[in-house]
Amino acid sequence: MNLLTLFLSALLINNVILSKFIGMCPFLGVSTKLSSAIGMGLAVIFVIFGASCLSWALYYYVLVPLGLEYMKLICFILLIAAFVQFVEMFVKKNSPSLYKSLGIYLPLITTNCAVLYVALDNITQGYNFIETVVNSIAVPAGFMLVLLIFATIRERLASADVPDAWKGNPIAFVVAAIMAIAFSAFAGLV
């Protein structure tokens, strides 16, 4: 039951975009089309899951035994950058079509602060490995859920009669604020 609570909390209640306001750059930049939002969401799920599990292992099996816990931030940044680079090279070599369809999304994930946030949060919260896995799936799944909803709304707004002063980012910020208010209703769920 504890894992289900953790999953629902990370997915809906403490959504990384709508309650923490982390990862706003890809949220606003990639949400103009549903197809690009799906690609970014799947890539974020894979990278956050892999980087968080590797960061947890690095922290507990290398940094803690050596007494270097204070180095976690720089080590996690380097690990995430190396992991994303490795994933990019692997996909480019083994699946050129997938690499072409993901395009700029993979390198952009390196600078997505949500990836580092999840890795650090797993350590700060003192999660064991199973809890780390659950949190590392739930957070990017929540990211993707909100990204897909937002992209769907933005596609509809593109054809709507919006006043000139509200077109583009202004209406996007208003919609994001309304989504944040709507998602705050999940607070009583768990």
Side-chain angles (χ1 to χ4, degrees):
M1 193 61 173
N2 187 29
L3 295 178
L4 179 62
T5 303
L6 176 63
F7 185 84
L8 288 175
S9 176
L11 181 75
L12 299 172
I13 299 165
N14 297 317
N15 188 281
V16 72
I17 293 176
L18 298 178
S19 70
K20 307 278 188 213
F21 303 107
I22 296 174
M24 293 298 286
C25 290
F27 175 66
L28 290 170
V30 182
S31 61
T32 54
K33 289 194 285 186
L34 187 59
S35 61
S36 49
I38 291 171
M40 178 60 122
L42 292 173
V44 166
I45 288 173
F46 179 74
V47 169
I48 287 181
F49 176 74
S52 294
C53 292
L54 289 173
S55 297
W56 187 91
L58 173 70
Y59 183 78
Y60 285 107
Y61 292 118
V62 176
L63 297 179
V64 170
L66 295 174
L68 298 172
E69 295 92 341
Y70 62 91
M71 294 289 293
K72 68 183 174 198
L73 180 63
I74 191 73
C75 290
F76 288 0
I77 290 171
L78 292 172
L79 180 81
I80 290 165
F83 180 70
V84 170
Q85 188 65 36
F86 174 74
V87 168
E88 184 179 5
M89 290 184 325
F90 180 80
V91 170
K92 185 177 184 179
K93 181 173 174 80
N94 293 318
S95 180
S97 61
L98 178 61
Y99 178 77
K100 188 174 182 175
S101 69
L102 287 177
I104 192 71
Y105 302 134
L106 275 176
L108 281 178
I109 292 171
T110 305
T111 60
N112 186 347
C113 54
V115 179
L116 181 61
Y117 166 77
V118 175
L120 289 171
D121 190 48
N122 289 334
I123 301 302
T124 305
Q125 298 296 327
Y127 292 149
N128 62 34
F129 187 71
I130 300 300
E131 292 169 332
T132 295
V133 167
V134 169
N135 193 50
S136 300
I137 292 171
V139 170
F143 180 93
M144 185 174 177
L145 173 70
V146 170
L147 191 63
L148 294 177
I149 293 170
F150 193 62
T152 304
I153 293 170
R154 285 189 77 179
E155 280 187 349
R156 298 215 29 168
L157 281 173
S159 62
D161 187 25
V162 178
D164 288 338
W166 288 92
K167 286 187 179 178
N169 283 337
I171 194 71
F173 280 115
V174 170
V175 169
I178 293 170
M179 285 179 64
I181 292 168
F183 268 66
S184 71
F186 289 119
L189 184 66
V190 177

